PDB file of all heavy atoms in Angstrom:
ATOM      1  N   PHE A 110      -7.869  70.823  -5.166  1.00 96.00           N
ATOM      2  CA  PHE A 110      -6.512  71.176  -4.737  1.00 96.00           C
ATOM      3  C   PHE A 110      -6.003  70.328  -3.569  1.00 96.00           C
ATOM      4  O   PHE A 110      -4.999  70.666  -2.957  1.00 96.00           O
ATOM      5  CB  PHE A 110      -6.448  72.671  -4.409  1.00 96.00           C
ATOM      6  CG  PHE A 110      -6.939  73.530  -5.541  1.00 96.00           C
ATOM      7  CD1 PHE A 110      -8.130  74.220  -5.449  1.00 96.00           C
ATOM      8  CD2 PHE A 110      -6.218  73.596  -6.727  1.00 96.00           C
ATOM      9  CE1 PHE A 110      -8.600  74.990  -6.510  1.00 96.00           C
ATOM     10  CE2 PHE A 110      -6.676  74.355  -7.805  1.00 96.00           C
ATOM     11  CZ  PHE A 110      -7.870  75.057  -7.694  1.00 96.00           C
ATOM     12  N   PHE A 111      -6.691  69.212  -3.274  1.00 93.00           N
ATOM     13  CA  PHE A 111      -6.209  68.293  -2.254  1.00 93.00           C
ATOM     14  C   PHE A 111      -4.827  67.792  -2.656  1.00 93.00           C
ATOM     15  O   PHE A 111      -4.600  67.525  -3.832  1.00 93.00           O
ATOM     16  CB  PHE A 111      -7.196  67.112  -2.119  1.00 93.00           C
ATOM     17  CG  PHE A 111      -6.764  66.077  -1.144  1.00 93.00           C
ATOM     18  CD1 PHE A 111      -6.987  66.249   0.214  1.00 93.00           C
ATOM     19  CD2 PHE A 111      -6.096  64.936  -1.587  1.00 93.00           C
ATOM     20  CE1 PHE A 111      -6.560  65.273   1.118  1.00 93.00           C
ATOM     21  CE2 PHE A 111      -5.668  63.979  -0.674  1.00 93.00           C
ATOM     22  CZ  PHE A 111      -5.905  64.146   0.670  1.00 93.00           C
ATOM     23  N   PRO A 112      -3.836  67.630  -1.795  1.00 92.00           N
ATOM     24  CA  PRO A 112      -3.867  67.773  -0.336  1.00 92.00           C
ATOM     25  C   PRO A 112      -3.526  69.184   0.155  1.00 92.00           C
ATOM     26  O   PRO A 112      -3.383  69.389   1.358  1.00 92.00           O
ATOM     27  CB  PRO A 112      -2.790  66.775   0.103  1.00 92.00           C
ATOM     28  CG  PRO A 112      -1.799  66.787  -1.007  1.00 92.00           C
ATOM     29  CD  PRO A 112      -2.572  67.080  -2.266  1.00 92.00           C
ATOM     30  N   PHE A 113      -3.366  70.133  -0.770  1.00 95.00           N
ATOM     31  CA  PHE A 113      -2.945  71.472  -0.357  1.00 95.00           C
ATOM     32  C   PHE A 113      -4.099  72.287   0.210  1.00 95.00           C
ATOM     33  O   PHE A 113      -3.899  73.178   1.024  1.00 95.00           O
ATOM     34  CB  PHE A 113      -2.295  72.203  -1.539  1.00 95.00           C
ATOM     35  CG  PHE A 113      -1.259  71.359  -2.216  1.00 95.00           C
ATOM     36  CD1 PHE A 113      -1.502  70.766  -3.444  1.00 95.00           C
ATOM     37  CD2 PHE A 113      -0.056  71.095  -1.581  1.00 95.00           C
ATOM     38  CE1 PHE A 113      -0.559  69.946  -4.043  1.00 95.00           C
ATOM     39  CE2 PHE A 113       0.897  70.278  -2.173  1.00 95.00           C
ATOM     40  CZ  PHE A 113       0.644  69.697  -3.406  1.00 95.00           C
ATOM     41  N   SER A 114      -5.293  71.983  -0.268  1.00 94.00           N
ATOM     42  CA  SER A 114      -6.472  72.666   0.251  1.00 94.00           C
ATOM     43  C   SER A 114      -7.632  71.677   0.284  1.00 94.00           C
ATOM     44  O   SER A 114      -7.743  70.817  -0.592  1.00 94.00           O
ATOM     45  CB  SER A 114      -6.822  73.851  -0.658  1.00 94.00           C
ATOM     46  OG  SER A 114      -8.159  74.227  -0.446  1.00 94.00           O
ATOM     47  N   ARG A 115      -8.426  71.787   1.321  1.00 91.00           N
ATOM     48  CA  ARG A 115      -9.560  70.861   1.442  1.00 91.00           C
ATOM     49  C   ARG A 115     -10.870  71.503   1.009  1.00 91.00           C
ATOM     50  O   ARG A 115     -11.943  70.957   1.256  1.00 91.00           O
ATOM     51  CB  ARG A 115      -9.675  70.393   2.901  1.00 91.00           C
ATOM     52  CG  ARG A 115      -8.586  69.424   3.247  1.00 91.00           C
ATOM     53  CD  ARG A 115      -8.450  69.213   4.744  1.00 91.00           C
ATOM     54  NE  ARG A 115      -7.229  68.480   4.999  1.00 91.00           N
ATOM     55  CZ  ARG A 115      -7.148  67.153   5.014  1.00 91.00           C
ATOM     56  NH1 ARG A 115      -8.209  66.426   4.799  1.00 91.00           N
ATOM     57  NH2 ARG A 115      -5.989  66.556   5.254  1.00 91.00           N
ATOM     58  N   VAL A 116     -10.759  72.648   0.346  1.00 94.00           N
ATOM     59  CA  VAL A 116     -11.976  73.358  -0.073  1.00 94.00           C
ATOM     60  C   VAL A 116     -12.725  72.519  -1.109  1.00 94.00           C
ATOM     61  O   VAL A 116     -12.127  72.000  -2.060  1.00 94.00           O
ATOM     62  CB  VAL A 116     -11.639  74.736  -0.681  1.00 94.00           C
ATOM     63  CG1 VAL A 116     -12.904  75.449  -1.123  1.00 94.00           C
ATOM     64  CG2 VAL A 116     -10.890  75.567   0.334  1.00 94.00           C
ATOM     65  N   LEU A 117     -14.032  72.396  -0.892  1.00 94.00           N
ATOM     66  CA  LEU A 117     -14.877  71.612  -1.801  1.00 94.00           C
ATOM     67  C   LEU A 117     -15.540  72.527  -2.826  1.00 94.00           C
ATOM     68  O   LEU A 117     -15.970  73.627  -2.484  1.00 94.00           O
ATOM     69  CB  LEU A 117     -15.965  70.891  -0.993  1.00 94.00           C
ATOM     70  CG  LEU A 117     -15.473  69.731  -0.129  1.00 94.00           C
ATOM     71  CD1 LEU A 117     -16.382  69.546   1.072  1.00 94.00           C
ATOM     72  CD2 LEU A 117     -15.416  68.449  -0.950  1.00 94.00           C
ATOM     73  N   PHE A 118     -15.588  72.056  -4.090  1.00 94.00           N
ATOM     74  CA  PHE A 118     -16.235  72.824  -5.157  1.00 94.00           C
ATOM     75  C   PHE A 118     -17.413  72.049  -5.720  1.00 94.00           C
ATOM     76  O   PHE A 118     -17.289  70.860  -6.016  1.00 94.00           O
ATOM     77  CB  PHE A 118     -15.246  73.092  -6.306  1.00 94.00           C
ATOM     78  CG  PHE A 118     -14.227  74.139  -5.996  1.00 94.00           C
ATOM     79  CD1 PHE A 118     -13.071  73.805  -5.292  1.00 94.00           C
ATOM     80  CD2 PHE A 118     -14.412  75.448  -6.395  1.00 94.00           C
ATOM     81  CE1 PHE A 118     -12.117  74.762  -4.998  1.00 94.00           C
ATOM     82  CE2 PHE A 118     -13.461  76.414  -6.099  1.00 94.00           C
ATOM     83  CZ  PHE A 118     -12.311  76.069  -5.397  1.00 94.00           C
ATOM     84  N   ASN A 119     -18.533  72.703  -5.882  1.00 94.00           N
ATOM     85  CA  ASN A 119     -19.675  72.102  -6.570  1.00 94.00           C
ATOM     86  C   ASN A 119     -20.578  73.213  -7.101  1.00 94.00           C
ATOM     87  O   ASN A 119     -21.003  74.082  -6.345  1.00 94.00           O
ATOM     88  CB  ASN A 119     -20.453  71.161  -5.620  1.00 94.00           C
ATOM     89  CG  ASN A 119     -21.635  70.504  -6.325  1.00 94.00           C
ATOM     90  OD1 ASN A 119     -22.799  70.792  -6.019  1.00 94.00           O
ATOM     91  ND2 ASN A 119     -21.361  69.634  -7.270  1.00 94.00           N
ATOM     92  N   PHE A 120     -20.819  73.195  -8.394  1.00 94.00           N
ATOM     93  CA  PHE A 120     -21.765  74.136  -9.008  1.00 94.00           C
ATOM     94  C   PHE A 120     -22.862  73.316  -9.665  1.00 94.00           C
ATOM     95  O   PHE A 120     -23.093  73.391 -10.858  1.00 94.00           O
ATOM     96  CB  PHE A 120     -21.057  75.023 -10.042  1.00 94.00           C
ATOM     97  CG  PHE A 120     -19.813  75.681  -9.517  1.00 94.00           C
ATOM     98  CD1 PHE A 120     -18.559  75.247  -9.893  1.00 94.00           C
ATOM     99  CD2 PHE A 120     -19.909  76.735  -8.605  1.00 94.00           C
ATOM    100  CE1 PHE A 120     -17.405  75.837  -9.394  1.00 94.00           C
ATOM    101  CE2 PHE A 120     -18.760  77.331  -8.099  1.00 94.00           C
ATOM    102  CZ  PHE A 120     -17.508  76.884  -8.493  1.00 94.00           C
ATOM    103  N   GLY A 121     -23.473  72.456  -8.857  1.00 92.00           N
ATOM    104  CA  GLY A 121     -24.366  71.441  -9.397  1.00 92.00           C
ATOM    105  C   GLY A 121     -25.635  71.953 -10.045  1.00 92.00           C
ATOM    106  O   GLY A 121     -26.401  72.676  -9.431  1.00 92.00           O
ATOM    107  N   PHE A 122     -25.832  71.583 -11.303  1.00 94.00           N
ATOM    108  CA  PHE A 122     -27.117  71.803 -11.963  1.00 94.00           C
ATOM    109  C   PHE A 122     -27.507  70.602 -12.815  1.00 94.00           C
ATOM    110  O   PHE A 122     -28.659  70.404 -13.145  1.00 94.00           O
ATOM    111  CB  PHE A 122     -27.105  73.087 -12.811  1.00 94.00           C
ATOM    112  CG  PHE A 122     -26.208  73.015 -14.014  1.00 94.00           C
ATOM    113  CD1 PHE A 122     -26.670  72.502 -15.216  1.00 94.00           C
ATOM    114  CD2 PHE A 122     -24.894  73.451 -13.942  1.00 94.00           C
ATOM    115  CE1 PHE A 122     -25.841  72.420 -16.322  1.00 94.00           C
ATOM    116  CE2 PHE A 122     -24.058  73.373 -15.051  1.00 94.00           C
ATOM    117  CZ  PHE A 122     -24.540  72.844 -16.249  1.00 94.00           C
ATOM    118  N   PHE A 123     -26.527  69.759 -13.188  1.00 95.00           N
ATOM    119  CA  PHE A 123     -26.823  68.597 -14.030  1.00 95.00           C
ATOM    120  C   PHE A 123     -27.375  67.479 -13.134  1.00 95.00           C
ATOM    121  O   PHE A 123     -26.839  67.220 -12.067  1.00 95.00           O
ATOM    122  CB  PHE A 123     -25.543  68.130 -14.734  1.00 95.00           C
ATOM    123  CG  PHE A 123     -25.795  67.285 -15.950  1.00 95.00           C
ATOM    124  CD1 PHE A 123     -25.848  67.857 -17.206  1.00 95.00           C
ATOM    125  CD2 PHE A 123     -25.994  65.912 -15.834  1.00 95.00           C
ATOM    126  CE1 PHE A 123     -26.094  67.078 -18.333  1.00 95.00           C
ATOM    127  CE2 PHE A 123     -26.243  65.132 -16.949  1.00 95.00           C
ATOM    128  CZ  PHE A 123     -26.292  65.716 -18.206  1.00 95.00           C
ATOM    129  N   PRO A 124     -28.463  66.822 -13.558  1.00 94.00           N
ATOM    130  CA  PRO A 124     -29.070  65.785 -12.709  1.00 94.00           C
ATOM    131  C   PRO A 124     -28.091  64.662 -12.355  1.00 94.00           C
ATOM    132  O   PRO A 124     -27.235  64.304 -13.165  1.00 94.00           O
ATOM    133  CB  PRO A 124     -30.208  65.235 -13.564  1.00 94.00           C
ATOM    134  CG  PRO A 124     -30.417  66.204 -14.654  1.00 94.00           C
ATOM    135  CD  PRO A 124     -29.185  67.008 -14.818  1.00 94.00           C
ATOM    136  N   TYR A 125     -28.239  64.134 -11.160  1.00 90.00           N
ATOM    137  CA  TYR A 125     -27.331  63.092 -10.663  1.00 90.00           C
ATOM    138  C   TYR A 125     -27.994  61.725 -10.768  1.00 90.00           C
ATOM    139  O   TYR A 125     -29.216  61.625 -10.854  1.00 90.00           O
ATOM    140  CB  TYR A 125     -26.960  63.373  -9.204  1.00 90.00           C
ATOM    141  CG  TYR A 125     -28.158  63.349  -8.285  1.00 90.00           C
ATOM    142  CD1 TYR A 125     -28.471  62.221  -7.531  1.00 90.00           C
ATOM    143  CD2 TYR A 125     -29.005  64.455  -8.202  1.00 90.00           C
ATOM    144  CE1 TYR A 125     -29.587  62.198  -6.708  1.00 90.00           C
ATOM    145  CE2 TYR A 125     -30.123  64.438  -7.388  1.00 90.00           C
ATOM    146  CZ  TYR A 125     -30.412  63.304  -6.642  1.00 90.00           C
ATOM    147  OH  TYR A 125     -31.521  63.282  -5.859  1.00 90.00           O
ATOM    148  N   LEU A 126     -27.159  60.695 -10.738  1.00 87.00           N
ATOM    149  CA  LEU A 126     -27.661  59.320 -10.722  1.00 87.00           C
ATOM    150  C   LEU A 126     -27.897  58.901  -9.285  1.00 87.00           C
ATOM    151  O   LEU A 126     -27.028  59.102  -8.436  1.00 87.00           O
ATOM    152  CB  LEU A 126     -26.623  58.381 -11.316  1.00 87.00           C
ATOM    153  CG  LEU A 126     -26.579  58.184 -12.826  1.00 87.00           C
ATOM    154  CD1 LEU A 126     -25.440  57.243 -13.160  1.00 87.00           C
ATOM    155  CD2 LEU A 126     -27.893  57.616 -13.343  1.00 87.00           C
TER     156      LEU A 126
END
Side-chain angles (χ1 to χ4, degrees):
F110 306 110
F111 177 82
F113 311 105
S114 160
R115 287 165 191 272
V116 179
L117 289 152
F118 285 83
N119 181 248
F120 309 106
F122 68 87
F123 200 94
Y125 62 98
L126 275 178

